[in-house]
Amino acid sequence: MSHHLPASFQEVLEAAPPWPETESPSRSRLERILGQDRLSTEDFRLLLSPAAEALLEPLARRARELTVRHFGRTMQLFTPLYLANHCINGCRYCGYHAGGTVERHQLSHDELRREAAAIAATGLRHILVLTGEAPKQTPLEYIGGCVAALREWFSSIAVEIYPLTTDGYRYLAGQGADSLTLYQEAYDRDCYARMHPFGPKRDFDFRLEAPERGCQAGLRAVNIGALLGLHDARREFFLTGLHAQYLQEKYPGVEIAISPPRIRPVPGGFQPPVEVTDRMLVQFVTAFRLFMPRAGITLSSRERAEIRDGLAPLCVTRMSAGSNTAVGGRTRPGQTGQFEIDDARSVPEMCESLCRAGRQPVFKDWQRS
Amino acid sequence: MEDSLTIGGTRLASRLFVGTGKYSGNDLIPKVVAAAGASVITVAVRRIDPEAREENILNHVPPGVVLMPNTSGARNAQEAVRIARLARAAGCGNWIKIEVIDDNRYLMPDNLETLKATEILAAEGFVVLPYMCPDLYAARRLKAAGAAALMPLGAPIGTNRGLKTKELVRVMLEETDLPVVVDAGLGRPSQAAEAMELGAAAVLVNTAIASAEEPVAMATAFGLAVRAGRLAWLAGPGRRRETADASSPLTGFLR
């Protein structure tokens, strides 16, 4: 597509067009885009406009067709495993932020093994390992040790932790991690600064470049995203798409995927400043499917069962199942999670729903070689 | 008419190979194999879980069909070799389809890395079927490296575009005596028939069957098309003419 590769994603971000709120592409222009084999970044931007919501049905049809062609009628399943909830960052939207009153815990070796065994008993072979940023309690060596231990049960291990250096990612790859999930949270610098009042996470650029360092370290899959609801969601999702495209062009051997994590208002808790409707969510991810037909789309259990069931056959390639966002949540009942899960279905229940929708749940789709 | 295909010492009853990775349920696999009359089935090693209690994909491969594990996910020769060895150790037999892809945008196979993996695995006694971009020199080198057959793509994988590489595949067919199995890109039964009419030994069809509204019916259609195309090849089609015969022969003056 582009033959001049930008030197960094910062360059792309600085050059990104402003978001004209008043612009409204014509219906015929949007219909033309739906019929194209390849979309420019401008086409993608127009598909994310409020005007394109009127074409949601044909957009969904096209997205489903492309997804079935490239990924078949399958759905890869994984589940999150929280190692610890210690954190020195002050992210305003997170239940585990420093200074919060939640009980802190860190899995011991035995607790980790029990949790892993409980998950593996459900048949899942892909795991996503999470923890907060706490160099004293959970240094990188602790996380690496946990990853190495999990190899006994899982064929694919992804990490969703604070950003690392390239050497840090290389170390985790050596321990057995093959995938990285890292959300920028906000691509808007001002919003990012407001949401992260203190802690090392304040460093916007170090985080922004981390997915690229993961690619350079030889990880096979990298999943990015923006927390939708913190800032202008159309623009934030557009920038997520640009980031994914930048990474995929520069690192063609890495499987690039995106997530559309949507913050939901919590009674008495964090109130997201921006509303992201269900229709917008569907518009975003189906538009992304047209923009990057072969990229992965991950949908977590933050979303309601009804939304997940509806989106699954349209464009999603990977879903969490049997999720629990508490530390050791499967073997230490009664713990508070990082955020509320809206789809608490067990692995068998998820499988049943997927089969009803004509999608085969896939537990193992990676071979450590 | 006696017309059989032998690859790696195994006589194959049909010239249609099918896949396993994209169905809405594994229970479709034996139905598709039966409807297509397929002789070979490919399974990604990354999808095989020998410890799975319920959903081991291998349990759905019907008896009598040759299992051809593939190295999907391998980004270089080393990874392909390791995956192939794992497959054999897991009891998947000694056939291996080498798939080395290091570009997630086009999913084109890397012929150079594929050649390296073929050399190593053929020497270890595998029946090696390399998935490749059609290319005469690569074909010759893969043969010298010990490949049992060659699997050139008809079009980029998953595109259902048909035999877009026809002229390159034709050269391979003319210049190599290894069986040529056209793999990837065949979207319709007529395109599979076209490959067979051209002289391909067999075709591999996955996406076109799996993404059909009725996969089993589509498998039947592909089975018939492959047989029709093969019969046409054996029958020797008449030479295609671009112009009508001149009513007054140009060489009439010779009489």
Side-chain angles (χ1 to χ4, degrees):
Chain A
M1 199 166 294
S2 69
H3 297 285
H4 161 74
L5 278 181
S8 69
F9 184 63
Q10 270 97 330
E11 206 179 289
V12 180
L13 199 56
E14 302 312 325
W19 201 256
E21 289 287 345
T22 52
E23 179 194 40
S24 190
S26 71
R27 192 181 172 94
S28 63
R29 169 126 200 225
L30 292 169
E31 279 171 348
R32 220 170 30 244
I33 295 172
L34 289 185
Q36 287 170 203
D37 275 343
R38 300 187 74 149
L39 270 64
S40 67
T41 52
E42 178 63 6
D43 296 332
F44 175 50
R45 197 175 69 89
L46 294 179
L47 284 189
L48 295 175
S49 66
E53 263 192 51
L55 280 92
L56 207 49
E57 190 57 32
L59 183 58
R61 263 202 300 275
R62 180 89 176 113
R64 187 182 61 169
E65 179 200 328
L66 288 168
T67 305
V68 167
R69 193 197 294 171
H70 293 302
F71 296 91
R73 298 179 200 274
T74 61
M75 185 68 66
Q76 207 266 298
L77 295 180
F78 71 96
T79 205
L81 191 168
Y82 279 71
L83 299 179
N85 58 1
H86 296 287
C87 198
I88 55 172
N89 287 310
C91 316
R92 289 179 48 202
Y93 46 81
C94 177
Y96 287 162
H97 71 86
T101 53
V102 68
E103 187 202 328
R104 305 288 166 168
H105 187 70
Q106 168 181 357
L107 291 184
S108 68
H109 192 66
D110 285 346
E111 285 170 332
L112 176 71
R113 293 182 63 84
R114 276 202 296 279
E115 188 82 357
I119 293 168
T122 66
L124 294 180
R125 294 291 177 263
H126 289 226
I127 193 97
L128 174 65
V129 173
L130 300 96
T131 191
E133 182 159 10
K136 274 196 198 128
Q137 292 95 339
T138 52
L140 187 56
E141 292 68 31
Y142 164 77
I143 300 168
C146 291
V147 166
L150 290 169
R151 294 166 71 146
E152 182 179 336
W153 291 276
F154 302 102
S155 55
S156 170
I157 302 169
V159 291
E160 183 173 350
I161 60 167
Y162 53 91
L164 303 178
T165 61
T166 312
D167 279 345
Y169 288 126
R170 256 189 223 116
Y171 162 72
L172 285 184
Q175 297 298 102
D178 56 90
S179 307
L180 167 67
T181 291
L182 188 77
Y183 300 152
Q184 182 60 29
E185 325 289 20
Y187 284 96
D188 180 88
R189 284 178 191 268
D190 296 336
C191 171
Y192 187 92
R194 281 197 305 280
M195 291 297 155
H196 306 101
F198 60 85
K201 194 166 173 178
R202 278 189 68 77
D203 190 337
F204 178 94
D205 291 300
F206 187 69
R207 191 174 189 88
L208 190 70
E209 291 172 339
E212 178 156 11
R213 292 195 295 273
C215 294
Q216 289 164 347
L219 293 170
R220 63 121 180 156
V222 170
N223 191 117
I224 60 169
L227 271 181
L228 302 176
L230 295 184
H231 193 65
D232 180 343
R234 293 184 195 279
R235 182 168 168 81
E236 286 289 314
F237 189 82
F238 172 65
L239 294 171
T240 306
L242 289 196
H243 198 177
Q245 186 197 40
Y246 165 83
L247 292 170
Q248 191 66 89
E249 285 196 352
K250 201 155 174 185
Y251 304 94
V254 182
E255 289 174 28
I256 303 296
I258 62 124
S259 298
R262 185 164 61 148
I263 298 196
R264 303 179 65 80
V266 179
F270 179 76
Q271 297 300 311
V274 173
E275 193 198 3
V276 185
T277 64
D278 292 347
R279 286 182 72 82
M280 283 164 76
L281 182 73
V282 173
Q283 181 189 6
F284 293 179
V285 288
T286 51
F288 178 76
R289 169 56 68 230
L290 269 63
F291 181 54
M292 290 184 65
R294 287 192 166 103
I297 298 179
T298 309
L299 195 62
S300 81
S301 314
R302 289 169 187 265
E303 296 295 340
R304 310 192 302 283
E306 163 200 338
I307 291 288
R308 298 225 301 164
D309 287 353
L311 270 178
L314 298 189
C315 56
V316 179
T317 57
R318 200 158 33 210
M319 290 171 97
S320 49
S323 292
N324 192 308
T325 65
V327 180
R330 294 170 186 87
T331 49
R332 299 169 63 245
Q335 307 300 308
T336 308
Q338 185 193 21
F339 56 85
E340 287 298 315
I341 284 175
D342 268 306
D343 183 355
R345 282 177 292 181
S346 67
V347 174
E349 285 167 341
M350 271 304 297
C351 291
E352 209 186 300
S353 297
L354 286 167
C355 290
R356 267 202 307 273
R359 291 296 175 274
Q360 178 190 178
V362 171
F363 288 179
K364 177 177 179 288
D365 191 23
W366 185 244
Q367 180 66 55
R368 204 176 289 125
S369 63
Chain B
M1 191 178 340
E2 175 65 24
D3 173 42
S4 69
L5 170 62
T6 300
I7 293 178
T10 304
R11 194 162 168 272
L12 303 172
S14 112
R15 293 170 180 274
L16 178 53
F17 298 7
V18 295
T20 49
K22 289 181 165 177
Y23 297 113
S24 59
N26 285 338
D27 54 335
L28 272 173
I29 293 172
K31 294 176 191 163
V32 162
V33 168
S39 59
V40 176
I41 190 164
T42 187
V43 180
V45 176
R46 63 194 279 179
R47 287 280 288 273
I48 298 174
D49 184 1
E51 286 160 34
R53 285 163 308 170
E54 287 158 28
E55 272 309 298
N56 185 348
I57 197 167
L58 292 181
N59 295 343
H60 299 270
V61 173
V65 61
V66 175
L67 178 64
M68 176 172 68
N70 68 64
T71 65
S72 162
R75 294 184 293 182
N76 53 48
Q78 258 189 335
E79 289 179 1
V81 166
R82 284 200 293 262
I83 293 170
R85 288 172 183 158
L86 281 169
R88 187 153 71 177
C92 295
N94 67 341
W95 280 47
I96 191 79
K97 173 184 162 187
I98 299 182
E99 200 176 309
V100 179
I101 292 174
D102 198 23
D103 189 309
N104 201 41
R105 296 167 307 162
Y106 299 99
L107 302 181
M108 293 286 193
D110 181 334
N111 283 356
L112 288 177
E113 292 294 313
T114 301
L115 175 64
K116 287 185 213 164
T118 300
E119 275 168 356
I120 296 167
L121 293 170
E124 292 180 11
F126 281 90
V127 174
V128 181
L129 295 92
Y131 172 55
M132 64 184 298
C133 285
D135 173 72
L136 176 62
Y137 300 103
R140 285 179 179 151
R141 287 178 183 134
L142 285 164
K143 187 192 170 189
L150 300 170
M151 304 186 79
L153 57 87
I157 199 163
T159 59
N160 287 348
R161 284 192 181 152
L163 194 53
K164 292 292 174 199
T165 58
K166 189 170 185 173
E167 295 310 317
L168 299 171
V169 171
R170 189 201 304 277
V171 172
M172 282 179 56
L173 287 167
E174 286 168 358
E175 296 298 320
T176 176
D177 52 1
L178 280 184
V180 170
V181 182
V182 174
D183 181 2
L186 301 179
R188 290 197 300 271
S190 55
Q191 295 162 348
E194 184 185 9
M196 297 307 295
E197 287 171 22
L198 195 66
V203 297
L204 191 153
V205 179
N206 183 28
T207 304
I209 294 175
S211 64
E213 289 300 321
E214 300 287 344
V216 177
M218 190 57 92
T220 305
F222 269 99
L224 292 169
V226 167
R227 281 170 53 204
R230 180 64 187 175
L231 278 172
W233 161 256
L234 292 172
R239 189 169 63 86
R240 190 170 61 177
R241 291 159 188 248
E242 302 298 340
T243 55
D245 282 341
S247 50
S248 311
L250 297 177
T251 53
F253 64 91
L254 290 173
R255 261 181 287 160

